Amino acid sequence: MSESRDTLFRFLTMLQLIPRYPGRISTPVLLEKLHERGFVIDNRSLQRDLRGRLSRFFPLGCDDSEKPYRWYFDRDYHCDLPALDVPSALTLVLAEEYLKGLLPPVVIGQLAPQFRSARQLLDEMQRNGLSQWARRVRAIPNGKALIPAQLEEATWQSVAQALLEQRALDVTYLSRSREERKTFTLHPQGMVSRHSVTYLLATVNDYNDIRQFALQRIEAAAFSEAAWQESEDFNLDDYIRSGAFGYLQGMDDVRLVAHVEPQVVWLLTETPLAEEQTLTPLPDSDWQRLEAVVRDDQQTLWWLRGMGASVEVIEPKEWRDDIRATAEKILARLYSN
């Protein structure tokens, strides 16, 4: 490879490695990552590239408040390589609309330059049929959507970086159950966004069990001097399937039998409740008999409760009894006033 071509590819690689603010990358880490990619360069040459060449043409910033210096792109900088096309722009606009109801604002903010570029492209193409879709299409969640929990930008930055770089975190956490603040060291293993809350999955101090930490209750987070500890048997998909986020009530699946009204039949025909599901018309009725194999979790039970009088649960008996008891409590409160 010629020297000029090697320099060009090195510059492109450096630009890919430098994050947007508030993300930052130190000069030693940037140098190490370049070496890992096969580029031969010393620290002095790297500094010369950053200050004398790249900063002249790109909005690069340098945090020189402490050593080693750390580099970043201006937070509003975005470069479309390759160029954004109209279908991709429409996809981004719809994705932004949908994600705003699921993820914390600070997380959405990380994608703001891409979303802004997409809206700008569509606005500039008034005569293109697709550009009008952005004004006529909305993405809304199924059911009542709670406003995503507020999350500090610095917390998100620290947690995301620790997870990806496999680093331990010293955190101050507000315990919901005891309503008190605790300080401990977390070893991040995974992250899950569920409805309007994002959870960090981590082990604590020297323990091995995985625990869930709502990011909005992490009040302070800093990289720890302790070495990150891997949970060797942890698998994120297996963890989710085990019912960790579904409030599992039993390890075995259950057979759900219920009578459902026509509108629910339509819903379950188009969006089944489970892979194993049948709907059979009931004699002399427009209702149908639903049979499905589902997880024994509270999520399914809550869904059935929410259907109200549109669903009559037959089995499992425990679920039928639970729904009856809930209805009786509601009636008792209504008639007690």
Side-chain angles (χ1 to χ4, degrees):
M1 183 181 296
S2 66
E3 182 177 352
S4 59
R5 184 178 299 180
D6 181 79
T7 301
L8 172 61
F9 284 129
R10 186 176 75 246
F11 286 172
L12 290 174
T13 302
M14 290 169 63
L15 294 173
Q16 290 177 327
L17 291 172
I18 298 173
R20 283 197 307 273
Y21 185 86
R24 289 166 295 182
I25 186 171
S26 67
T27 307
V29 172
L30 182 57
L31 186 64
E32 179 182 356
K33 290 184 177 295
L34 288 172
H35 289 166
E36 290 175 352
R37 288 159 174 77
F39 294 101
V40 179
I41 183 174
D42 56 29
N43 185 65
R44 179 175 296 181
S45 298
L46 177 60
Q47 294 282 2
R48 185 171 61 248
D49 289 345
L50 289 168
R51 293 187 178 279
R53 299 181 179 181
L54 295 181
S55 295
R56 197 185 315 165
F57 300 101
F58 295 93
L60 293 178
C62 178
D63 179 1
D64 56 5
S65 59
E66 59 178 339
K67 292 185 177 181
Y69 295 166
R70 290 169 292 178
W71 293 84
Y72 56 87
F73 271 109
D74 182 276
R75 69 183 311 150
D76 293 326
Y77 175 72
H78 177 62
C79 178
D80 287 317
L81 290 174
L84 191 65
D85 58 17
V86 174
S88 298
L90 177 60
T91 301
L92 283 171
V93 169
L94 293 177
E96 180 186 21
E97 190 77 22
Y98 180 74
L99 293 174
K100 280 193 298 188
L102 296 176
L103 297 176
V106 64
V107 179
I108 300 300
Q110 296 287 314
L111 297 172
Q114 289 91 327
F115 292 145
R116 188 162 49 249
S117 295
R119 290 194 300 271
Q120 181 179 353
L121 175 62
L122 294 179
D123 289 341
E124 292 173 352
M125 303 185 68
Q126 296 296 329
R127 297 183 181 180
N128 189 301
L130 283 176
S131 68
Q132 303 303 314
W133 281 36
R135 300 181 180 87
R136 302 183 182 184
V137 179
R138 293 293 181 268
I140 60 176
N142 184 22
K144 172 61 180 174
L146 302 178
I147 297 174
Q150 290 292 325
L151 177 62
E152 293 294 331
E153 186 175 46
T155 298
W156 169 253
Q157 183 68 30
S158 297
V159 170
Q161 189 172 348
L163 178 64
L164 296 178
E165 297 182 3
Q166 299 182 340
R167 301 179 64 177
L169 282 174
D170 292 329
V171 305
T172 300
Y173 188 76
L174 177 62
S175 174
R176 174 179 166 183
S177 58
R178 299 183 181 180
E179 296 185 356
E180 63 181 6
R181 289 170 176 79
K182 296 183 176 181
T183 302
F184 35 60
T185 300
L186 298 183
H187 302 275
Q189 308 293 324
M191 187 181 295
V192 172
S193 180
R194 182 175 181 270
H195 302 312
S196 55
V197 178
T198 301
Y199 296 91
L200 175 65
L201 309 181
T203 58
V204 182
N205 297 333
D206 295 324
Y207 296 97
N208 297 320
D209 56 313
I210 300 292
R211 301 185 191 179
Q212 301 176 11
F213 298 89
L215 292 193
Q216 77 273 9
R217 292 203 291 274
I218 297 179
E219 298 187 343
F223 296 126
S224 175
E225 295 183 359
W228 177 77
Q229 299 176 12
E230 181 180 9
S231 181
E232 296 182 357
D233 297 330
F234 175 73
N235 180 281
L236 183 57
D237 292 327
D238 291 343
Y239 181 79
I240 295 172
R241 281 193 292 268
S242 71
F245 288 94
Y247 303 98
L248 200 65
Q249 300 178 135
M251 296 306 298
D252 298 327
D253 292 343
V254 297
R255 178 173 173 266
L256 170 65
V257 180
H259 296 166
V260 297
E261 71 170 9
Q263 291 300 321
V264 181
V265 171
W266 273 103
L267 173 66
L268 296 180
T269 299
E270 296 176 339
T271 55
L273 190 61
E275 295 290 339
E276 298 182 46
Q277 171 186 292
T278 59
L279 289 162
T280 308
L282 293 171
D284 303 319
S285 173
D286 58 357
W287 284 47
Q288 295 195 27
R289 177 184 175 91
L290 164 69
E291 296 186 38
V293 177
V294 298
R295 301 300 302 272
D296 186 5
D297 59 25
Q298 290 187 19
Q299 290 280 43
T300 308
L301 181 57
W302 290 342
W303 182 83
L304 291 168
R305 287 179 186 165
M307 299 306 295
S310 299
V311 173
E312 178 189 357
V313 174
I314 310 300
E315 298 177 12
K317 182 179 181 300
E318 294 81 2
W319 289 11
R320 180 181 177 89
D321 293 343
D322 179 278
I323 293 173
R324 178 190 293 113
T326 300
E328 290 173 348
K329 290 179 181 178
I330 293 174
L331 289 173
R333 291 194 184 100
L334 288 175
Y335 287 107
S336 65
N337 296 326

